Structure formats: C-alpha cells, structure tokens
C-alpha cells in the first residue's frame, strides 16, 4: 500500500507538475502572445507611420514636381509670349518706319508744290506789279500829255 500510495503521490506530483508546467507554458504562451501582439501592433503602427511619412513625401515630391513642371511651362509660355511681343514690336516698328517714310515723302511733295506755288505767285505778282506800274506810267504819261495839251490850249501855245 505504501508503494501504491507512493506511486499515487508520485503520479499526483507528476500530474501537479505537469499541470504547473502546462500553466507555466500557457502563461509563457500568453505572455509571448501578448508580446507578439504588442510587437505586431508596434510594427503596424510603425508601418502606418512609415507609410504616412512615405505618402507625405510622395505627395510633397509630386507637388514639387508639379511646381517645377508648372514653372517650366510658364517659362515656355512667357518665352513664347515674349517672342510674339518682340515680333509685334518689330512689325510695329517697321510699319512706323514705312509710315514715316510715306509721311516724309508726302511732306517733300507738299513742300515742292508749295515752293512751286510760291514761285508761281511771286512771278505772277511780279508780272502784275510790272503791268500795274506800266499802266500807272502810261496813265501818268496820258495825264501829263492831256495836262500839257490842256495847258497849250489854255495858254494858246498852239500856233
């Protein structure tokens, strides 16, 4: 009986030890599971933060790339616009030169016509003046002659 009791006690002790080992293993497994869950959660949070950081970096890079592309496009448009402005300015300068040339030609023609008209008027005035002087001289000679003739008639100098 003692042996049976000893065997039972040993079995009970072994069973108790096995139960304690199982409980300890379960506690270790739960602790390990908790640590693993915590590590997984930390990794998930870290990955989310990393993903958010990478996403923010990607957005910032995209915005920077967009800003660069926009600046390049604006510069191209500005250069194209400047080219159009330069061409328009050159066309306007050419048109103004042509207008100035035509205007100067018209002024030269007007000056020539004016000088010709002035010369014509000067010549006509000189002729009219000469004619008026001739007419006045002729009238004076006639008046003198009539006066002389009247004097002769009056004083009887006509023999």
């Amino acid at each position: 009986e003692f042996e049976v009791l000893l065997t039972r006690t040993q079995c009970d002790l072994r069973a108790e030890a096995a139960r304690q080992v199982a409980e300890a293993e379960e506690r270790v497994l739960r602790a390990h599971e908790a640590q693993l869950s915590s590590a997984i959660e930390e990794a998930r949070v870290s990955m989310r933060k990393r993903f958010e950081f990478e996403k923010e970096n990607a957005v910032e890079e995209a915005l920077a790339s967009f800003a660069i592309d926009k600046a390049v496009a604006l510069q191209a448009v500005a250069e194209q616009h400047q080219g159009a402005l330069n061409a328009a300015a050159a066309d306007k300068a050419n048109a103004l030169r042509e207008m100035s040339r035509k205007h100067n030609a018209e002024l030269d023609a007007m000056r020539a016509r004016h000088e010709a008209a002035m010369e014509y008027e000067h010549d006509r005035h000189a002729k009219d003046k000469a004619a008026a002087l001739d007419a006045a001289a002729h009238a004076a000679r006639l008046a003198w002659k009539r006066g002389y003739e009247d004097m002769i008639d009056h004083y009887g100098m006509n023999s």
Side-chain angles (χ1 to χ4, degrees), residues 14-142:
R14 282 187 190 146
E16 181 63 26
R19 189 183 57 75
Q20 286 178 356
V21 166
E23 285 177 2
E25 284 178 349
E26 191 174 324
R27 278 193 309 272
V28 167
L29 281 176
R30 273 191 242 132
H32 183 64
E33 184 181 332
Q35 287 176 345
L36 192 56
S37 291
S38 176
I40 288 172
E41 180 63 20
E42 287 177 13
R44 189 180 68 74
V45 167
S46 174
M47 289 294 285
R48 186 170 18 102
K49 286 180 181 176
R50 183 174 174 202
F51 176 73
E52 288 296 322
F53 177 74
E54 288 175 355
K55 188 169 81 173
E56 287 175 10
N57 281 345
V59 167
E60 287 177 8
E61 286 178 15
L63 288 174
S65 176
F66 175 74
I68 290 170
D69 291 346
K70 184 178 177 182
V72 168
L74 285 174
Q75 184 177 5
V77 167
E79 288 173 359
Q80 184 180 21
H81 184 64
Q82 187 62 47
L85 286 175
N86 290 344
D91 290 346
K92 188 171 185 176
N94 288 335
L96 287 172
R97 277 192 288 275
E98 182 62 24
M99 285 176 59
S100 177
R101 187 193 61 76
K102 284 181 181 179
H103 181 69
N104 287 338
E106 288 174 8
L107 284 175
D108 290 343
M110 287 174 69
R111 279 189 200 105
R113 284 193 304 269
H114 179 71
E115 287 176 12
M118 290 296 290
E119 189 175 325
Y120 171 78
E121 287 298 320
H122 180 10
D123 289 348
R124 192 173 66 85
H125 178 70
K127 286 179 185 177
D128 288 349
K129 182 179 174 183
L133 286 173
D134 286 345
H138 180 68
R141 280 192 300 275
L142 286 177

